[in-house]
Amino acid sequence: MLLLGIETSCDDTGIGIVDSTRTIRADIVASQLADHKPYGGVVPEIAARAHLDVIDGAITRAMADANITFADLSGIAATTGPGLIGGVMVGAMAGKAIAAVRRLPFIAVNHLEAHALTPRLTGDIPFPYLLLLASGGHCQLVFVRGVGDYRVLGRTIDDAIGECFDKCAKLLGLGYPGGPLIEQAARNGDPSAFALPRPMVGRANCDFSFSGLKTAVRTAVQGRDITPALVANMAASLQAAIADSVADRARHAFAMLENEKPAAFVTAGGAAANQSLRARLAAVAAANNVPFDAPPARLCTDNGVMVAWAGLERLRLGLTDALDTPARPRWPLEEMKG
Ligand code: KG4
Ligand code: ZN
């Protein structure tokens, strides 16, 4: 099987091609960072237009990288939600058009499911597994029983982890996206320099909260000179606070799964690229006697490969979608069907 995947739900135009031996045959990501930079965040209308500008060229390049023609493909997968609706429509329409003209099966992919299944592409992880999905827009602990079969154990009641990194980075005068810049700055900082709160620690559920942390960072830096030393110390302190909070939530997830033991603990989504977070999660997995795995950073942030892979997982179960499948701004994992 050979699948082409299209990802356009946020600010990256991703085109990926994978096959059933789990080989990545093409991986094109056209970033729009420069287009959004002046605004300090993603502007939905700019994103949709930028996807439209580059999508055809990105598909052509991916096909050339894989050295295949459309006739070689088994199906076309595209993210149809959740995400910024204009961009989602651009990618979904491109995918549907190729599927219609080439008479190929079309697979409507949930962006969250694409992140959730990536560890099976990169690590061959068996079901069921516990997943921390940590991106710019989403933060949840999910028990993944199978394709389309998700039990969400807890989620953020306000901001996502990546969003917290991004907002705090802005307060510290760093650029966007903030996660990688905070991680870099933290290398020279002291994680105990600022006594930040550890949100939700000890709560008898698996929910997250990060907006209080952002407020604490704002209060701590208000009126102070934003020197490189302060940025480094705050970045390290923030990273430590987030890692402590997330590790505690993950421990609760294992406790909730007493009767359904996961085969592995995995993480995915943009913020899962963070090495200090990964190290803490690996320790929680070890304490629960399960292996830990996380895709390489490049496949944690948005990309087309994960969409192609999710499409392949669905297609081999016979799950395909009609060409009038709508684009959805909101599409929780619990509403998936296997
Ligand atoms: O999954 P993703 O590419 O897009 C969404 O679906 O949201 O995630 C982007 C988020 C951004 O908030 C970014 O700051 C964060 O992932 N991120 C990181 C790192 N790399 C990306 N956060 C922490 N550490 C990183 N190294
Ligand atoms: Zn994402």
Side-chain angles (χ1 to χ4, degrees), residues 142-174:
V142 186
F143 187 54
V144 182
R145 295 194 187 99
V147 174
D149 188 359
Y150 303 97
R151 177 180 165 208
V152 177
L153 302 169
R155 53 162 50 94
T156 184
I157 56 170
D158 42 55
D159 293 348
I161 298 175
E163 194 175 1
C164 179
F165 276 124
D166 293 340
K167 288 178 174 171
C168 292
K170 206 168 180 178
L171 290 171
L172 295 173
L174 299 170

PDB file of all heavy atoms in Angstrom, residues 142-174:
ATOM      1  N   VAL A 142      -4.747  10.194  26.380  1.00  0.00           N
ATOM      2  CA  VAL A 142      -5.701   9.347  25.658  1.00  0.00           C
ATOM      3  C   VAL A 142      -5.283   7.890  25.763  1.00  0.00           C
ATOM      4  O   VAL A 142      -4.100   7.563  25.593  1.00  0.00           O
ATOM      5  CB  VAL A 142      -5.725   9.733  24.149  1.00  0.00           C
ATOM      6  CG1 VAL A 142      -6.816   8.968  23.415  1.00  0.00           C
ATOM      7  CG2 VAL A 142      -5.910  11.233  23.969  1.00  0.00           C
ATOM      8  N   PHE A 143      -6.251   7.030  26.049  1.00  0.00           N
ATOM      9  CA  PHE A 143      -5.996   5.596  25.978  1.00  0.00           C
ATOM     10  C   PHE A 143      -6.384   5.152  24.573  1.00  0.00           C
ATOM     11  O   PHE A 143      -7.543   5.214  24.194  1.00  0.00           O
ATOM     12  CB  PHE A 143      -6.809   4.863  27.051  1.00  0.00           C
ATOM     13  CG  PHE A 143      -6.469   3.405  27.158  1.00  0.00           C
ATOM     14  CD1 PHE A 143      -5.163   2.988  27.345  1.00  0.00           C
ATOM     15  CD2 PHE A 143      -7.460   2.439  27.082  1.00  0.00           C
ATOM     16  CE1 PHE A 143      -4.842   1.633  27.447  1.00  0.00           C
ATOM     17  CE2 PHE A 143      -7.151   1.085  27.185  1.00  0.00           C
ATOM     18  CZ  PHE A 143      -5.845   0.679  27.369  1.00  0.00           C
ATOM     19  N   VAL A 144      -5.378   4.777  23.791  1.00  0.00           N
ATOM     20  CA  VAL A 144      -5.590   4.429  22.380  1.00  0.00           C
ATOM     21  C   VAL A 144      -5.785   2.916  22.285  1.00  0.00           C
ATOM     22  O   VAL A 144      -4.842   2.150  22.461  1.00  0.00           O
ATOM     23  CB  VAL A 144      -4.386   4.872  21.516  1.00  0.00           C
ATOM     24  CG1 VAL A 144      -4.625   4.557  20.049  1.00  0.00           C
ATOM     25  CG2 VAL A 144      -4.117   6.360  21.695  1.00  0.00           C
ATOM     26  N   ARG A 145      -7.026   2.493  22.046  1.00  0.00           N
ATOM     27  CA  ARG A 145      -7.313   1.049  22.002  1.00  0.00           C
ATOM     28  C   ARG A 145      -7.137   0.480  20.599  1.00  0.00           C
ATOM     29  O   ARG A 145      -6.876  -0.693  20.417  1.00  0.00           O
ATOM     30  CB  ARG A 145      -8.753   0.791  22.442  1.00  0.00           C
ATOM     31  CG  ARG A 145      -9.038   1.137  23.876  1.00  0.00           C
ATOM     32  CD  ARG A 145     -10.375   0.511  24.248  1.00  0.00           C
ATOM     33  NE  ARG A 145     -10.824   0.914  25.555  1.00  0.00           N
ATOM     34  CZ  ARG A 145     -11.721   1.868  25.778  1.00  0.00           C
ATOM     35  NH1 ARG A 145     -12.262   2.527  24.779  1.00  0.00           N
ATOM     36  NH2 ARG A 145     -12.086   2.168  27.000  1.00  0.00           N
ATOM     37  N   GLY A 146      -7.329   1.338  19.589  1.00  0.00           N
ATOM     38  CA  GLY A 146      -7.225   0.890  18.205  1.00  0.00           C
ATOM     39  C   GLY A 146      -7.518   2.078  17.311  1.00  0.00           C
ATOM     40  O   GLY A 146      -7.806   3.177  17.801  1.00  0.00           O
ATOM     41  N   VAL A 147      -7.441   1.853  16.019  1.00  0.00           N
ATOM     42  CA  VAL A 147      -7.758   2.923  15.061  1.00  0.00           C
ATOM     43  C   VAL A 147      -9.207   3.351  15.296  1.00  0.00           C
ATOM     44  O   VAL A 147     -10.105   2.518  15.303  1.00  0.00           O
ATOM     45  CB  VAL A 147      -7.574   2.416  13.614  1.00  0.00           C
ATOM     46  CG1 VAL A 147      -8.044   3.462  12.607  1.00  0.00           C
ATOM     47  CG2 VAL A 147      -6.120   2.042  13.372  1.00  0.00           C
ATOM     48  N   GLY A 148      -9.408   4.624  15.537  1.00  0.00           N
ATOM     49  CA  GLY A 148     -10.767   5.134  15.751  1.00  0.00           C
ATOM     50  C   GLY A 148     -11.349   4.834  17.118  1.00  0.00           C
ATOM     51  O   GLY A 148     -12.501   5.156  17.381  1.00  0.00           O
ATOM     52  N   ASP A 149     -10.560   4.231  18.010  1.00  0.00           N
ATOM     53  CA  ASP A 149     -11.097   3.804  19.315  1.00  0.00           C
ATOM     54  C   ASP A 149     -10.306   4.479  20.443  1.00  0.00           C
ATOM     55  O   ASP A 149      -9.259   3.983  20.856  1.00  0.00           O
ATOM     56  CB  ASP A 149     -10.999   2.277  19.406  1.00  0.00           C
ATOM     57  CG  ASP A 149     -11.710   1.733  20.640  1.00  0.00           C
ATOM     58  OD1 ASP A 149     -12.264   2.534  21.423  1.00  0.00           O
ATOM     59  OD2 ASP A 149     -11.697   0.500  20.825  1.00  0.00           O
ATOM     60  N   TYR A 150     -10.820   5.594  20.901  1.00  0.00           N
ATOM     61  CA  TYR A 150     -10.075   6.428  21.846  1.00  0.00           C
ATOM     62  C   TYR A 150     -10.880   6.693  23.113  1.00  0.00           C
ATOM     63  O   TYR A 150     -12.065   7.007  23.044  1.00  0.00           O
ATOM     64  CB  TYR A 150      -9.722   7.783  21.201  1.00  0.00           C
ATOM     65  CG  TYR A 150      -8.934   7.593  19.934  1.00  0.00           C
ATOM     66  CD1 TYR A 150      -9.559   7.603  18.688  1.00  0.00           C
ATOM     67  CD2 TYR A 150      -7.572   7.326  19.985  1.00  0.00           C
ATOM     68  CE1 TYR A 150      -8.843   7.377  17.532  1.00  0.00           C
ATOM     69  CE2 TYR A 150      -6.847   7.093  18.826  1.00  0.00           C
ATOM     70  CZ  TYR A 150      -7.491   7.119  17.606  1.00  0.00           C
ATOM     71  OH  TYR A 150      -6.775   6.876  16.469  1.00  0.00           O
ATOM     72  N   ARG A 151     -10.202   6.574  24.253  1.00  0.00           N
ATOM     73  CA  ARG A 151     -10.813   6.988  25.518  1.00  0.00           C
ATOM     74  C   ARG A 151      -9.978   8.147  26.049  1.00  0.00           C
ATOM     75  O   ARG A 151      -8.806   7.963  26.409  1.00  0.00           O
ATOM     76  CB  ARG A 151     -10.807   5.816  26.508  1.00  0.00           C
ATOM     77  CG  ARG A 151     -11.345   6.188  27.855  1.00  0.00           C
ATOM     78  CD  ARG A 151     -11.311   4.977  28.808  1.00  0.00           C
ATOM     79  NE  ARG A 151     -11.484   5.435  30.180  1.00  0.00           N
ATOM     80  CZ  ARG A 151     -11.009   4.807  31.244  1.00  0.00           C
ATOM     81  NH1 ARG A 151     -10.359   3.672  31.111  1.00  0.00           N
ATOM     82  NH2 ARG A 151     -11.204   5.300  32.447  1.00  0.00           N
ATOM     83  N   VAL A 152     -10.582   9.336  26.053  1.00  0.00           N
ATOM     84  CA  VAL A 152      -9.850  10.504  26.553  1.00  0.00           C
ATOM     85  C   VAL A 152      -9.942  10.510  28.078  1.00  0.00           C
ATOM     86  O   VAL A 152     -11.026  10.593  28.645  1.00  0.00           O
ATOM     87  CB  VAL A 152     -10.407  11.810  25.946  1.00  0.00           C
ATOM     88  CG1 VAL A 152      -9.678  13.017  26.538  1.00  0.00           C
ATOM     89  CG2 VAL A 152     -10.245  11.796  24.425  1.00  0.00           C
ATOM     90  N   LEU A 153      -8.781  10.382  28.741  1.00  0.00           N
ATOM     91  CA  LEU A 153      -8.761  10.282  30.205  1.00  0.00           C
ATOM     92  C   LEU A 153      -8.791  11.660  30.843  1.00  0.00           C
ATOM     93  O   LEU A 153      -9.253  11.830  31.969  1.00  0.00           O
ATOM     94  CB  LEU A 153      -7.500   9.539  30.651  1.00  0.00           C
ATOM     95  CG  LEU A 153      -7.340   8.125  30.079  1.00  0.00           C
ATOM     96  CD1 LEU A 153      -5.949   7.585  30.362  1.00  0.00           C
ATOM     97  CD2 LEU A 153      -8.383   7.193  30.681  1.00  0.00           C
ATOM     98  N   GLY A 154      -8.251  12.649  30.142  1.00  0.00           N
ATOM     99  CA  GLY A 154      -8.246  14.003  30.684  1.00  0.00           C
ATOM    100  C   GLY A 154      -7.717  14.956  29.633  1.00  0.00           C
ATOM    101  O   GLY A 154      -7.037  14.542  28.698  1.00  0.00           O
ATOM    102  N   ARG A 155      -8.056  16.228  29.791  1.00  0.00           N
ATOM    103  CA  ARG A 155      -7.577  17.215  28.812  1.00  0.00           C
ATOM    104  C   ARG A 155      -7.416  18.553  29.520  1.00  0.00           C
ATOM    105  O   ARG A 155      -7.800  18.709  30.676  1.00  0.00           O
ATOM    106  CB  ARG A 155      -8.550  17.325  27.650  1.00  0.00           C
ATOM    107  CG  ARG A 155      -9.995  17.586  28.054  1.00  0.00           C
ATOM    108  CD  ARG A 155     -10.838  18.114  26.897  1.00  0.00           C
ATOM    109  NE  ARG A 155     -10.732  17.339  25.681  1.00  0.00           N
ATOM    110  CZ  ARG A 155     -11.555  16.341  25.319  1.00  0.00           C
ATOM    111  NH1 ARG A 155     -12.557  16.010  26.110  1.00  0.00           N
ATOM    112  NH2 ARG A 155     -11.402  15.704  24.187  1.00  0.00           N
ATOM    113  N   THR A 156      -6.864  19.519  28.817  1.00  0.00           N
ATOM    114  CA  THR A 156      -6.655  20.816  29.465  1.00  0.00           C
ATOM    115  C   THR A 156      -7.984  21.551  29.626  1.00  0.00           C
ATOM    116  O   THR A 156      -8.866  21.446  28.770  1.00  0.00           O
ATOM    117  CB  THR A 156      -5.641  21.678  28.692  1.00  0.00           C
ATOM    118  OG1 THR A 156      -5.424  22.886  29.446  1.00  0.00           O
ATOM    119  CG2 THR A 156      -6.127  22.037  27.295  1.00  0.00           C
ATOM    120  N   ILE A 157      -8.107  22.249  30.737  1.00  0.00           N
ATOM    121  CA  ILE A 157      -9.321  23.025  30.961  1.00  0.00           C
ATOM    122  C   ILE A 157      -9.128  24.458  30.447  1.00  0.00           C
ATOM    123  O   ILE A 157     -10.055  25.255  30.474  1.00  0.00           O
ATOM    124  CB  ILE A 157      -9.739  23.037  32.456  1.00  0.00           C
ATOM    125  CG1 ILE A 157      -8.608  23.566  33.348  1.00  0.00           C
ATOM    126  CG2 ILE A 157     -10.134  21.628  32.894  1.00  0.00           C
ATOM    127  CD1 ILE A 157      -9.050  23.826  34.787  1.00  0.00           C
ATOM    128  N   ASP A 158      -7.913  24.782  30.001  1.00  0.00           N
ATOM    129  CA  ASP A 158      -7.699  26.127  29.425  1.00  0.00           C
ATOM    130  C   ASP A 158      -6.697  26.045  28.259  1.00  0.00           C
ATOM    131  O   ASP A 158      -7.073  25.657  27.173  1.00  0.00           O
ATOM    132  CB  ASP A 158      -7.289  27.156  30.496  1.00  0.00           C
ATOM    133  CG  ASP A 158      -6.278  26.609  31.508  1.00  0.00           C
ATOM    134  OD1 ASP A 158      -5.226  26.121  31.063  1.00  0.00           O
ATOM    135  OD2 ASP A 158      -6.541  26.669  32.727  1.00  0.00           O
ATOM    136  N   ASP A 159      -5.429  26.361  28.504  1.00  0.00           N
ATOM    137  CA  ASP A 159      -4.455  26.385  27.413  1.00  0.00           C
ATOM    138  C   ASP A 159      -3.834  25.002  27.182  1.00  0.00           C
ATOM    139  O   ASP A 159      -3.796  24.164  28.080  1.00  0.00           O
ATOM    140  CB  ASP A 159      -3.321  27.373  27.727  1.00  0.00           C
ATOM    141  CG  ASP A 159      -3.811  28.815  27.743  1.00  0.00           C
ATOM    142  OD1 ASP A 159      -4.947  29.061  27.300  1.00  0.00           O
ATOM    143  OD2 ASP A 159      -3.049  29.692  28.203  1.00  0.00           O
ATOM    144  N   ALA A 160      -3.307  24.797  25.971  1.00  0.00           N
ATOM    145  CA  ALA A 160      -2.513  23.594  25.673  1.00  0.00           C
ATOM    146  C   ALA A 160      -1.053  23.868  26.057  1.00  0.00           C
ATOM    147  O   ALA A 160      -0.674  25.024  26.281  1.00  0.00           O
ATOM    148  CB  ALA A 160      -2.618  23.256  24.194  1.00  0.00           C
ATOM    149  N   ILE A 161      -0.253  22.804  26.126  1.00  0.00           N
ATOM    150  CA  ILE A 161       1.158  22.965  26.536  1.00  0.00           C
ATOM    151  C   ILE A 161       1.903  23.880  25.556  1.00  0.00           C
ATOM    152  O   ILE A 161       2.591  24.820  25.958  1.00  0.00           O
ATOM    153  CB  ILE A 161       1.873  21.599  26.618  1.00  0.00           C
ATOM    154  CG1 ILE A 161       1.209  20.724  27.673  1.00  0.00           C
ATOM    155  CG2 ILE A 161       3.358  21.784  26.948  1.00  0.00           C
ATOM    156  CD1 ILE A 161       1.763  19.304  27.738  1.00  0.00           C
ATOM    157  N   GLY A 162       1.762  23.602  24.270  1.00  0.00           N
ATOM    158  CA  GLY A 162       2.460  24.412  23.263  1.00  0.00           C
ATOM    159  C   GLY A 162       2.026  25.865  23.330  1.00  0.00           C
ATOM    160  O   GLY A 162       2.847  26.786  23.185  1.00  0.00           O
ATOM    161  N   GLU A 163       0.729  26.063  23.587  1.00  0.00           N
ATOM    162  CA  GLU A 163       0.173  27.418  23.705  1.00  0.00           C
ATOM    163  C   GLU A 163       0.816  28.143  24.888  1.00  0.00           C
ATOM    164  O   GLU A 163       1.144  29.332  24.807  1.00  0.00           O
ATOM    165  CB  GLU A 163      -1.335  27.252  23.931  1.00  0.00           C
ATOM    166  CG  GLU A 163      -2.182  28.462  23.762  1.00  0.00           C
ATOM    167  CD  GLU A 163      -3.666  28.086  23.903  1.00  0.00           C
ATOM    168  OE1 GLU A 163      -3.997  26.900  24.151  1.00  0.00           O
ATOM    169  OE2 GLU A 163      -4.488  29.009  23.778  1.00  0.00           O
ATOM    170  N   CYS A 164       1.002  27.418  25.997  1.00  0.00           N
ATOM    171  CA  CYS A 164       1.636  27.997  27.185  1.00  0.00           C
ATOM    172  C   CYS A 164       3.077  28.388  26.865  1.00  0.00           C
ATOM    173  O   CYS A 164       3.521  29.492  27.191  1.00  0.00           O
ATOM    174  CB  CYS A 164       1.571  26.994  28.328  1.00  0.00           C
ATOM    175  SG  CYS A 164       2.339  27.587  29.851  1.00  0.00           S
ATOM    176  N   PHE A 165       3.800  27.496  26.197  1.00  0.00           N
ATOM    177  CA  PHE A 165       5.170  27.827  25.782  1.00  0.00           C
ATOM    178  C   PHE A 165       5.154  29.070  24.875  1.00  0.00           C
ATOM    179  O   PHE A 165       5.967  29.982  25.048  1.00  0.00           O
ATOM    180  CB  PHE A 165       5.804  26.659  25.012  1.00  0.00           C
ATOM    181  CG  PHE A 165       6.420  25.597  25.885  1.00  0.00           C
ATOM    182  CD1 PHE A 165       6.028  24.271  25.791  1.00  0.00           C
ATOM    183  CD2 PHE A 165       7.435  25.920  26.780  1.00  0.00           C
ATOM    184  CE1 PHE A 165       6.615  23.279  26.579  1.00  0.00           C
ATOM    185  CE2 PHE A 165       8.033  24.939  27.573  1.00  0.00           C
ATOM    186  CZ  PHE A 165       7.613  23.612  27.472  1.00  0.00           C
ATOM    187  N   ASP A 166       4.226  29.097  23.933  1.00  0.00           N
ATOM    188  CA  ASP A 166       4.172  30.211  22.972  1.00  0.00           C
ATOM    189  C   ASP A 166       3.876  31.542  23.666  1.00  0.00           C
ATOM    190  O   ASP A 166       4.507  32.565  23.387  1.00  0.00           O
ATOM    191  CB  ASP A 166       3.115  29.947  21.895  1.00  0.00           C
ATOM    192  CG  ASP A 166       3.486  28.784  20.988  1.00  0.00           C
ATOM    193  OD1 ASP A 166       4.674  28.430  20.935  1.00  0.00           O
ATOM    194  OD2 ASP A 166       2.577  28.221  20.340  1.00  0.00           O
ATOM    195  N   LYS A 167       2.884  31.528  24.585  1.00  0.00           N
ATOM    196  CA  LYS A 167       2.488  32.775  25.254  1.00  0.00           C
ATOM    197  C   LYS A 167       3.593  33.267  26.192  1.00  0.00           C
ATOM    198  O   LYS A 167       3.858  34.465  26.283  1.00  0.00           O
ATOM    199  CB  LYS A 167       1.182  32.559  26.020  1.00  0.00           C
ATOM    200  CG  LYS A 167      -0.029  32.433  25.099  1.00  0.00           C
ATOM    201  CD  LYS A 167      -1.302  32.166  25.878  1.00  0.00           C
ATOM    202  CE  LYS A 167      -2.516  32.184  24.940  1.00  0.00           C
ATOM    203  NZ  LYS A 167      -3.735  31.723  25.635  1.00  0.00           N
ATOM    204  N   CYS A 168       4.237  32.333  26.887  1.00  0.00           N
ATOM    205  CA  CYS A 168       5.309  32.735  27.805  1.00  0.00           C
ATOM    206  C   CYS A 168       6.521  33.235  27.015  1.00  0.00           C
ATOM    207  O   CYS A 168       7.199  34.176  27.439  1.00  0.00           O
ATOM    208  CB  CYS A 168       5.679  31.589  28.732  1.00  0.00           C
ATOM    209  SG  CYS A 168       4.354  31.197  29.899  1.00  0.00           S
ATOM    210  N   ALA A 169       6.772  32.609  25.871  1.00  0.00           N
ATOM    211  CA  ALA A 169       7.882  33.058  25.023  1.00  0.00           C
ATOM    212  C   ALA A 169       7.647  34.506  24.595  1.00  0.00           C
ATOM    213  O   ALA A 169       8.569  35.330  24.564  1.00  0.00           O
ATOM    214  CB  ALA A 169       8.015  32.153  23.809  1.00  0.00           C
ATOM    215  N   LYS A 170       6.408  34.826  24.304  1.00  0.00           N
ATOM    216  CA  LYS A 170       6.059  36.190  23.891  1.00  0.00           C
ATOM    217  C   LYS A 170       6.339  37.170  25.039  1.00  0.00           C
ATOM    218  O   LYS A 170       6.911  38.247  24.826  1.00  0.00           O
ATOM    219  CB  LYS A 170       4.573  36.216  23.512  1.00  0.00           C
ATOM    220  CG  LYS A 170       4.193  37.296  22.536  1.00  0.00           C
ATOM    221  CD  LYS A 170       2.787  37.057  22.018  1.00  0.00           C
ATOM    222  CE  LYS A 170       2.370  38.119  21.030  1.00  0.00           C
ATOM    223  NZ  LYS A 170       1.027  37.874  20.484  1.00  0.00           N
ATOM    224  N   LEU A 171       5.976  36.770  26.268  1.00  0.00           N
ATOM    225  CA  LEU A 171       6.227  37.618  27.441  1.00  0.00           C
ATOM    226  C   LEU A 171       7.726  37.856  27.635  1.00  0.00           C
ATOM    227  O   LEU A 171       8.142  38.876  28.174  1.00  0.00           O
ATOM    228  CB  LEU A 171       5.674  36.950  28.709  1.00  0.00           C
ATOM    229  CG  LEU A 171       4.153  36.873  28.845  1.00  0.00           C
ATOM    230  CD1 LEU A 171       3.768  35.987  30.039  1.00  0.00           C
ATOM    231  CD2 LEU A 171       3.568  38.278  29.026  1.00  0.00           C
ATOM    232  N   LEU A 172       8.533  36.882  27.208  1.00  0.00           N
ATOM    233  CA  LEU A 172       9.987  36.987  27.388  1.00  0.00           C
ATOM    234  C   LEU A 172      10.672  37.609  26.172  1.00  0.00           C
ATOM    235  O   LEU A 172      11.896  37.655  26.098  1.00  0.00           O
ATOM    236  CB  LEU A 172      10.575  35.592  27.654  1.00  0.00           C
ATOM    237  CG  LEU A 172      10.127  34.923  28.957  1.00  0.00           C
ATOM    238  CD1 LEU A 172      10.636  33.483  29.027  1.00  0.00           C
ATOM    239  CD2 LEU A 172      10.626  35.712  30.170  1.00  0.00           C
ATOM    240  N   GLY A 173       9.860  38.054  25.209  1.00  0.00           N
ATOM    241  CA  GLY A 173      10.431  38.707  24.033  1.00  0.00           C
ATOM    242  C   GLY A 173      11.068  37.744  23.047  1.00  0.00           C
ATOM    243  O   GLY A 173      11.839  38.152  22.174  1.00  0.00           O
ATOM    244  N   LEU A 174      10.765  36.450  23.193  1.00  0.00           N
ATOM    245  CA  LEU A 174      11.270  35.477  22.221  1.00  0.00           C
ATOM    246  C   LEU A 174      10.297  35.429  21.047  1.00  0.00           C
ATOM    247  O   LEU A 174       9.212  35.987  21.108  1.00  0.00           O
ATOM    248  CB  LEU A 174      11.397  34.088  22.875  1.00  0.00           C
ATOM    249  CG  LEU A 174      12.361  34.003  24.066  1.00  0.00           C
ATOM    250  CD1 LEU A 174      12.222  32.664  24.787  1.00  0.00           C
ATOM    251  CD2 LEU A 174      13.792  34.195  23.604  1.00  0.00           C
TER     252      LEU A 174
END
